[in-house]
Amino acid sequence: MDQPGGTEFMEKQPTRQDGLLPSLVLALVASWLIGCSSLRLPAFDPTGSKVFLPYPNATTPLGPCAARKTNTPTRPAFTHPAPKTPCANSEVGTNASLEQKPPRAIHKVASASKSIGKTGEIILTPSRILAPVGSEVVVMAGICGRDGYYVINQPLEWMLTRDSAGTIVEVGGTEHSTFNNMVKPSSKKFDGEYAWGRTSLKSKVLTRGTPTPIDDIDVQKGQHYITLSSPSEGSSYIVSVAPNAEAWDKRRATTVIHWIDALWAIPAPSRATSGQPFTLNTQITRATDGAGVRDWKVRYDIVGGTPAEFVPTGAQSAIVTSTDQGQAPIQIRQQDGQNAAGTTQIKVDVIRPEMFGQREIVVESALTSVSWSAPALTIRAIGPKSAGVDQPFNYRLEVSNPGDQASRNVIVRTKDLTSDVQFISSEPKPSQYGNQFQWNLGDLAPGGVPQIIDIQLKSSKRGQNELCFEVSSDTDQLRTEACATTLIAAPCLGLQIEGPTAAEVGAEVVYNIQVVNQCDEALTNIRLQVQYDEGLGATNLANPIIADIGALQFGERRSIPLQFSVLAAGSRCFNLSVVADGGHTAAARRCVEAAQVTEPNLRVEAAIVPSTAIVGHRVLSRVTITNTGSTALDNISVLNQFSRSISVRQATGENSNLTRSYIGDDFAFSILRLEPNAQQILDIEFECLQVDGNAFNKAVVTTPVGINTSQTANLRIEPESAPPNTGGAPATTPNAALGPGLAVDVAPIAASIRQGIQSRAFQVTVANNQTVPIQDVKVTLLIPPGLRFVSLDDSQSLLPVAGQSADGTQIYLQTRAEMRPRETLTFGVTIRGDQMGQPVLAAIVESPSSNSVRDSAAVTVTQ
């Protein structure tokens, strides 16, 4: 084998056994002569993962009888090989050693980069590396072929220069063949400085035996590798030579391994007391004996979190040189006035000094943190960057406790709020002290959601307005503030529109347009343009309307009247734009809601059936309200004014659209809403009290929109001895036992009720047996122990419950302004029996103008 310049290396190269092939051929021939039935050789593995397939499942029959021994065609001895690996210049990195667990992904990315080398060039990976003393570093080499892929089965020589530290530990390919242990390995280590080998026939994975593949190293097809280690600091210079490479000037490659004897420990995340300095320390020691390493540098940088600084300089970055003990300490503290709870992030860089002729290099970068413990208060003021003069703008205050203890009695105040700034509103509402405002937030929990205060303000002062807010806790002696600046600006051209926002179709709407110069200099050639929608009309004016205003001095105002006719219903708008020389502009938009003309109206009808009745009989008065207009009517009031000869007994019940009440001596209904063409029927049952040939019920209807109308229904009441003209229902005659004047009767509806069950157990009747009215009648129910008041049915008496005593033993009914002669009021009482026994319910009726009466009744409460 001719190797120019390689004589010295050839002497160390092992000699191949040239007689092996002829011997193998003679053995094959002899076997053939013995008999073809026993002549079978291992078949080639078509996948390329092995040279041969394992016996006996896959063998290749030889000899003329091979076709007779099988019913299937003979498989090919070799198929297409696995794809080749492109030869590429790749760099593993500074930590590519077995001890440092180099990631597999680094080799895959490097191979995928396909930075193709020249034909015959030896590609050595890595070209330079930094490794700890005692670790084992993998160096790989491959020869680039004509097709751009690594060349397989090519010899490589590895040499370590005599001035190098370290030694060769392992050579790849020194294992025996998988099918014949008699075949010598294709690689060999002669000593710690020289080794020989061949580029691989297939890829291989170097593993440390761990379950995770992250520390594996891929040796690609066509590469060869060695590993090196050094027990001391220094540099290893490795030379790899490809004797048979085609490129004479590319067949050598060199890599350098710099061994360092150092281990370092970055400060762990720590907790510190707010307001106190805290020491961070990085320890650098030797891997061999654990002694400290001096003159290494450690750079500390504050990179985020709670503001802090290094002692004593107050800087955000500092470099410390390690001592003889290998320590690089530095103190950190919070900045003055900012002793708040929080976390400060610090980046730590460990820097190896100049050595091996190399400049300083960062060998480790890591993050650590210091968490400061303290109660704290922070406030953040968020407001708009700009706002208009006298235009509302909003500020938001966010108050929080970033500490790890509660902040007590927290108060937020406005600070130096000038008279130019007007407070409009806020949520929550503040307390006001002159022109200053204060919000009491109570205690704030640590790390909780910020308390929000939304404030609306406006300012009449042009220019920069700085608004400041202070948050404090006198209990914890905490105080801080936040400010925000809002530019209050007024455009040079001010534009205002005065006029209606609603109108009816066919009406004329008039607007007053005001243009004002808000600049400090005169404005010239001012022009106004009005573009209006369909549905609006301007007599004898085009669309758009254009007006020349001329010039305005500073502060000068010009008014322009603008009149439209409303032609159609809907939202009708017009746009205004004003321009002046110098590029000054202003614009505005105004809309008017146009509605069709509507005429609210209603009809009222009143009737009494029958129109003639006898004293003591009852009649029905019906009032019908009809909305005959084109729009809905709200809050319709119907007042029933009736003669003294009749008395209300019952009326149409209340619902969500209808309520009823007494207004003096008159009975009234209130209708909440009545749509167009809708009707509301109101029924009142009257009792005839005395003879009256001109009795009546007059319904007076009023609405907020100005409708005022009425209708009267007449009634003739005849004495009892006279035969009635028409039939009528017999009247309910009050119990004669009630006696003369004011009287009351309490009667049990049921003799007994069950305990815990609600029951309508009593009926109370109040009567005026006199021939004159009685004023201010008051009714009180006395509830005994063992009974509980539930409700009262006032559908006939119209005497609702007005209140009750604190212990629930007295129920007060609404005072009746007047009871007419012979008028009777009846209502049912629903109670619940809480205790077994015979409790007694009593009713007291009293009036300043009459006698006071009382009656009672008992009920039995059973289990």
Side-chain angles (χ1 to χ4, degrees):
M1 179 180 302
D2 293 334
Q3 298 181 13
T7 305
E8 178 183 353
F9 306 139
M10 285 297 297
E11 293 176 356
K12 297 181 180 181
Q13 184 171 331
T15 305
R16 295 180 55 88
Q17 296 180 356
D18 296 333
L20 176 61
L21 183 59
S23 300
L24 179 60
V25 172
L26 291 176
L28 292 175
V29 172
S31 300
W32 195 331
L33 295 175
I34 295 172
C36 62
S37 62
S38 61
L39 183 58
R40 301 181 67 87
L41 286 181
F44 286 101
D45 186 353
T47 65
S49 61
K50 300 181 178 64
V51 177
F52 298 111
L53 290 172
Y55 178 86
N57 296 328
T59 58
T60 302
L62 298 178
C65 60
R68 299 194 304 270
K69 304 296 291 184
T70 178
N71 295 325
T72 57
T74 303
R75 297 197 316 173
F78 184 74
T79 60
H80 292 289
K84 297 181 181 179
T85 302
C87 51
N89 292 312
S90 59
E91 196 65 38
V92 174
T94 61
N95 292 325
S97 68
L98 289 178
E99 298 297 328
Q100 296 289 337
K101 298 184 179 181
R104 287 181 77 175
I106 293 178
H107 300 283
K108 294 178 180 179
V109 172
S111 298
S113 64
K114 297 185 180 180
S115 176
I116 304 303
K118 296 181 179 180
T119 301
E121 180 181 1
I122 183 169
I123 308 299
L124 197 60
T125 304
S127 61
R128 185 179 297 271
I129 190 171
L130 181 72
V133 167
S135 64
E136 189 172 354
V137 177
V138 178
V139 180
M140 295 178 290
I143 304 170
C144 191
R146 294 179 182 272
D147 58 355
Y149 290 88
Y150 287 130
V151 181
I152 63 173
N153 199 29
Q154 289 297 307
L156 282 176
E157 297 182 32
W158 298 90
M159 292 164 283
L160 192 63
T161 62
R162 298 186 182 279
D163 58 343
S164 296
T167 182
I168 298 174
V169 177
E170 180 185 352
V171 180
T174 57
E175 65 274 7
H176 285 280
S177 171
T178 58
F179 67 91
N180 191 346
N181 289 336
M182 298 299 295
V183 178
K184 291 186 177 182
S186 59
S187 300
K188 182 179 180 181
K189 182 180 78 170
F190 292 88
D191 53 37
E193 298 178 354
Y194 178 79
W196 178 90
R198 284 183 173 273
T199 57
S200 62
L201 300 176
K202 62 179 180 179
S203 60
K204 181 177 182 180
V205 177
L206 304 182
T207 176
R208 299 182 64 208
T210 59
T212 174
I214 194 171
D215 57 355
D216 297 348
I217 297 178
D218 292 333
V219 180
Q220 303 294 340
K221 182 178 180 180
Q223 285 185 312
H224 188 252
Y225 74 92
I226 65 170
T227 68
L228 301 97
S229 182
S230 175
S232 60
E233 291 186 316
S235 298
S236 297
Y237 300 92
I238 303 99
V239 179
S240 180
V241 178
N244 293 345
E246 296 185 22
W248 172 263
D249 57 338
K250 299 295 182 181
R251 68 174 188 152
R252 294 182 303 275
T254 304
T255 186
V256 182
I257 304 173
H258 299 294
W259 307 95
I260 58 173
D261 186 8
L263 298 173
W264 45 87
I266 303 297
S270 307
R271 296 190 67 85
T273 302
S274 179
Q276 304 281 337
F278 182 78
T279 301
L280 296 169
N281 184 36
T282 300
Q283 184 75 34
I284 306 172
T285 57
R286 297 192 181 279
T288 53
D289 56 9
V293 178
R294 61 171 299 165
D295 296 332
W296 281 47
K297 294 180 180 179
V298 179
R299 181 169 57 236
Y300 300 93
D301 291 293
I302 297 173
V303 295
T306 301
E309 61 188 14
F310 292 116
V311 179
T313 62
Q316 298 293 295
S317 179
I319 296 179
V320 181
T321 302
S322 62
T323 64
D324 291 339
Q325 291 75 35
Q327 296 182 354
I330 192 169
Q331 284 192 321
I332 187 174
R333 67 185 176 193
Q334 291 179 284
Q335 296 177 349
D336 291 341
Q338 299 187 19
N339 297 335
T343 301
T344 302
Q345 285 85 37
I346 305 102
K347 179 185 177 186
V348 183
D349 292 332
V350 180
I351 305 172
R352 189 216 64 189
E354 294 182 2
M355 63 173 55
F356 315 126
Q358 285 189 328
R359 58 179 178 83
E360 293 181 345
I361 185 171
V362 177
V363 297
E364 177 77 13
S365 289
L367 282 177
T368 188
S369 62
V370 176
S371 298
W372 307 99
S373 175
L377 283 176
T378 62
I379 183 171
R380 183 184 180 199
I382 307 171
K385 293 183 179 180
S386 62
V389 174
D390 292 327
Q391 296 296 317
F393 57 91
N394 296 319
Y395 262 68
R396 166 167 284 201
L397 305 182
E398 297 180 354
V399 182
S400 60
N401 176 6
D404 52 10
Q405 301 176 17
S407 298
R408 297 163 291 175
N409 300 323
V410 178
I411 296 175
V412 177
R413 300 182 182 91
T414 56
K415 188 176 181 182
D416 302 328
L417 197 65
T418 65
S419 58
D420 299 322
V421 179
Q422 179 182 348
F423 175 87
I424 299 177
S425 65
S426 79
E427 180 60 37
K429 297 187 181 302
S431 302
Q432 184 174 1
Y433 302 93
N435 196 40
Q436 305 303 316
F437 298 86
Q438 175 176 305
W439 294 264
N440 297 322
L441 301 184
D443 295 346
L444 290 187
V449 176
Q451 296 287 323
I452 304 298
I453 302 176
D454 289 317
I455 309 172
Q456 190 175 58
L457 308 163
K458 69 177 182 179
S459 176
S460 59
K461 178 184 177 182
R462 295 175 59 188
Q464 294 285 354
N465 279 250
E466 184 179 49
L467 302 177
C468 295
F469 303 88
E470 179 185 77
V471 60
S472 64
S473 169
D474 294 338
T475 305
D476 297 323
Q477 299 182 352
L478 297 173
R479 189 177 304 273
T480 187
E481 67 177 45
C483 300
T485 301
T486 298
L487 175 63
I488 306 300
C492 284
L493 280 172
L495 185 59
Q496 297 178 353
I497 305 174
E498 299 175 353
T501 58
E504 293 181 345
V505 175
E508 298 290 328
V509 289
V510 179
Y511 294 93
N512 182 30
I513 311 300
Q514 293 192 5
V515 181
V516 60
N517 179 358
Q518 301 176 141
C519 281
D520 296 332
E521 59 183 10
L523 295 177
T524 59
N525 197 21
I526 303 174
R527 297 173 302 281
L528 172 69
Q529 178 175 298
V530 182
Q531 182 80 42
Y532 53 90
D533 294 349
E534 295 182 0
L536 294 178
T539 306
N540 299 325
L541 293 176
N543 189 4
I545 303 171
I546 299 176
D548 189 357
I549 299 176
L552 290 177
Q553 300 300 317
F554 170 62
E556 186 178 357
R557 184 182 300 268
R558 188 75 50 82
S559 297
I560 301 99
L562 182 63
Q563 180 172 334
F564 290 110
S565 298
V566 181
L567 305 179
S571 182
R572 303 302 171 183
C573 306
F574 59 93
N575 298 310
L576 283 82
S577 60
V578 183
V579 297
D581 288 348
H584 302 292
T585 62
R589 178 179 174 87
R590 174 61 67 88
C591 296
V592 59
E593 297 298 327
Q596 292 289 351
V597 179
T598 59
E599 291 292 340
N601 200 3
L602 57 77
R603 181 177 67 249
V604 57
E605 300 172 284
I608 295 179
V609 179
S611 59
T612 301
I614 298 174
V615 173
H617 284 208
R618 294 187 181 183
V619 294
L620 178 66
S621 176
R622 170 164 290 183
V623 178
T624 303
I625 310 297
T626 305
N627 183 354
T628 58
S630 58
T631 182
L633 296 174
D634 296 325
N635 301 321
I636 303 171
S637 177
V638 182
L639 184 65
N640 290 272
Q641 300 172 338
F642 47 90
S643 58
R644 301 300 187 197
S645 58
I646 58 177
S647 175
V648 176
R649 284 294 170 260
Q650 60 183 3
T652 299
E654 291 187 0
N655 54 55
S656 60
N657 194 47
L658 182 67
T659 60
R660 60 189 191 181
S661 62
Y662 272 102
I663 301 178
D665 294 333
D666 302 325
F667 191 74
F669 293 96
S670 179
I671 304 171
L672 184 63
R673 186 176 181 84
L674 196 61
E675 299 292 339
N677 301 318
Q679 282 187 343
Q680 177 68 61
I681 297 176
L682 308 174
D683 288 337
I684 305 176
E685 187 178 55
F686 288 103
E687 181 180 349
C688 300
L689 302 178
Q690 60 190 25
V691 175
D692 187 351
N694 297 307
F696 67 89
N697 176 41
K698 181 180 180 180
V700 180
V701 182
T702 58
T703 67
V705 296
I707 298 177
N708 229 328
T709 185
S710 63
Q711 182 74 23
T712 302
N714 296 314
L715 172 67
R716 177 182 177 83
I717 303 175
E718 298 179 350
E720 294 184 19
S721 58
N725 292 334
T726 59
T732 301
T733 304
N735 192 340
L738 294 176
L742 198 61
V744 61
D745 177 52
V746 179
I749 298 176
S752 64
I753 61 175
R754 295 183 59 185
Q755 182 180 359
I757 303 298
Q758 297 181 7
S759 176
R760 183 170 177 175
F762 296 96
Q763 178 171 295
V764 180
T765 303
V766 179
N768 175 11
N769 291 331
Q770 300 180 155
T771 58
V772 295
I774 299 178
Q775 311 296 325
D776 299 325
V777 179
K778 296 182 180 178
V779 180
T780 303
L781 301 179
L782 304 180
I783 310 298
L787 290 184
R788 182 182 303 179
F789 174 77
V790 177
S791 64
L792 183 141
D793 179 11
D794 64 334
S795 60
Q796 295 185 12
S797 65
L798 299 179
L799 285 179
V801 175
Q804 63 181 9
S805 62
D807 58 3
T809 60
Q810 298 185 33
I811 308 299
Y812 310 112
L813 274 57
Q814 181 176 302
T815 301
R816 183 65 175 266
E818 178 184 277
M819 285 191 68
R820 295 182 175 84
R822 307 293 182 182
E823 185 176 8
T824 301
L825 305 176
T826 301
F827 51 88
V829 179
T830 300
I831 53 91
R832 190 179 78 174
D834 290 338
Q835 299 177 8
M836 291 188 295
Q838 288 185 320
V840 177
L841 181 139
I844 299 176
V845 181
E846 52 191 344
S847 170
S849 60
S850 180
N851 59 316
S852 296
V853 292
R854 173 183 176 132
D855 192 27
S856 62
V859 67
T860 301
V861 180
T862 62
Q863 189 170 7

